[in-house]
Amino acid sequence: MTTGIENQALDLKVPNHVAIIMDGNGRWAQMQGKKRVFGHKNGVESVRSTVTAARKMGVKALTLFAFSSENWLRPEEEVSVLMELFMLVLNREVKRLHKNDIRFRVIGDVSRFSNKLQEKIKAAESLTEHNQGMVLSIAANYGGRWDITHAAKQLAAQVKQGEISVDDITEDSLNRLTSLYDMPDLDLMIRTGGDHRVSNFLLWQVAYAEFYFTDVLWPDFNEAEFTKAIDTFTQRERRFGKTGEQVKQQ
Ligand code: IPE
Ligand code: IPE
Ligand code: MG
């Protein structure tokens, strides 16, 4: 039998895997009469403080939505500034990540990025691949539907080549071919910027994640805001389909 105190300790567990839809950069800049890209530039500091905070708290995996497969639809100038910013941040921050024992990786279809950017990504991934402190995944040209379709295609090819049969297709076998297959299950999905939607982010992985929405615009997000999200998470009762009574008895 468990006591209330034990339950509380269990509930206060830090999430293993947190994902963030970093939204609101454009509005943050426009509210100050500045161009949207000013907001993107200022969002970098929020990324830095969130990564530091997550690492400090003992989060194992942090997945950040930086550029969606639909964001190519934005004005060309904004897209190219975002790409430049991505390069700049990679150049500037990777050493710091490495020093802090953080493994860096990019998820999404990177084939649409310039060769130079793809090389930078590969170099950053291999430099940090043995780090154990935390995994930082940046979702770039990522779409949840792309992720699932990409996995389904690979399964179809395996069936066609006779490597597996249709009956071998299970949730597990499909899961293993999705982007974050080797990360812990997603515990918490945060969205800044006031909108309450998923915008084609981790559609498969979000199955039993807790959602946390805040009106704070991404450039104003920081360690204190991240801590608020984690505190809220620790107070949620996750039932995974069971009853509240069953969960309390565990
Ligand atoms: C999120 O901020 C960053 C990206 C999508 C790249 P937005 O640029 O979407 O900012 P808002 O939502 O227009 O304020
Ligand atoms: C989601 O934000 C994508 C990222 C944060 C990178 P958007 O601003 O693109 O989402 P919508 O268009 O408002 O749904
Ligand atoms: Mg937005």
Side-chain angles (χ1 to χ4, degrees), residues 153-198:
K153 262 191 186 162
Q154 292 177 69
L155 285 177
Q158 289 173 15
V159 171
K160 195 172 173 207
Q161 280 152 23
E163 290 165 19
I164 60 167
S165 75
V166 170
D167 288 337
D168 293 328
I169 299 177
T170 60
E171 289 185 12
D172 252 5
S173 68
L174 192 139
N175 185 50
R176 259 182 269 128
L177 295 166
T178 58
S179 293
L180 295 170
Y181 68 97
D182 52 349
M183 292 298 110
D185 283 344
L186 184 62
D187 294 308
L188 174 64
M189 166 78 84
I190 298 171
R191 182 173 186 139
T192 64
D195 286 312
H196 297 183
R197 55 177 174 258
V198 181

Side-chain angles (χ1 to χ4, degrees), residues 2-207:
T2 55
T3 68
I5 292 166
E6 277 159 349
N7 271 338
Q8 205 179 14
L10 203 72
D11 287 344
L12 286 175
K13 213 168 162 276
V14 170
N16 283 319
H17 188 172
V18 180
I20 309 181
I21 301 176
M22 309 183 290
D23 197 24
N25 292 350
R27 279 165 284 163
W28 184 87
Q30 283 163 337
M31 274 165 53
Q32 301 170 60
K34 302 259 171 57
K35 283 188 166 182
R36 296 176 51 82
V37 294
F38 181 68
H40 298 317
K41 286 175 186 155
N42 278 273
V44 176
E45 185 53 41
S46 304
V47 173
R48 199 180 288 132
S49 50
T50 302
V51 169
T52 308
R55 170 84 176 88
K56 223 162 62 182
M57 281 181 201
V59 169
K60 296 275 170 280
L62 178 68
T63 303
L64 304 178
F65 205 8
F67 192 85
S68 78
S69 43
E70 288 74 38
N71 287 146
W72 295 106
L73 299 170
R74 294 190 177 199
E76 215 176 295
E77 193 207 329
E78 183 170 342
V79 172
S80 71
V81 169
L82 281 167
M83 294 300 141
E84 277 166 33
L85 202 60
F86 200 20
M87 279 288 271
L88 193 89
V89 172
L90 267 178
N91 281 332
R92 220 174 45 193
E93 305 290 333
V94 167
K95 276 197 199 110
R96 186 206 304 256
L97 293 177
H98 191 43
K99 219 172 69 198
N100 287 301
D101 200 22
I102 295 171
R103 182 172 159 204
F104 171 87
R105 54 148 73 171
V106 171
I107 60 165
D109 183 4
V110 292
S111 67
R112 198 165 160 187
F113 294 145
S114 71
N115 288 338
K116 211 164 152 207
L117 184 49
Q118 288 185 49
E119 277 162 29
K120 287 268 171 223
I121 291 170
K122 264 195 213 126
E125 286 178 337
S126 47
L127 175 72
T128 61
E129 74 183 328
H130 300 299
N131 293 346
Q132 303 281 333
M134 184 175 85
V135 182
L136 172 64
S137 303
I138 300 293
N141 193 19
Y142 178 89
R145 289 180 173 175
W146 165 83
D147 202 353
I148 298 167
T149 309
H150 186 246
K153 262 191 186 162
Q154 292 177 69
L155 285 177
Q158 289 173 15
V159 171
K160 195 172 173 207
Q161 280 152 23
E163 290 165 19
I164 60 167
S165 75
V166 170
D167 288 337
D168 293 328
I169 299 177
T170 60
E171 289 185 12
D172 252 5
S173 68
L174 192 139
N175 185 50
R176 259 182 269 128
L177 295 166
T178 58
S179 293
L180 295 170
Y181 68 97
D182 52 349
M183 292 298 110
D185 283 344
L186 184 62
D187 294 308
L188 174 64
M189 166 78 84
I190 298 171
R191 182 173 186 139
T192 64
D195 286 312
H196 297 183
R197 55 177 174 258
V198 181
S199 300
N200 198 16
F201 196 23
L202 304 165
L203 300 181
W204 173 269
Q205 296 83 351
V206 92

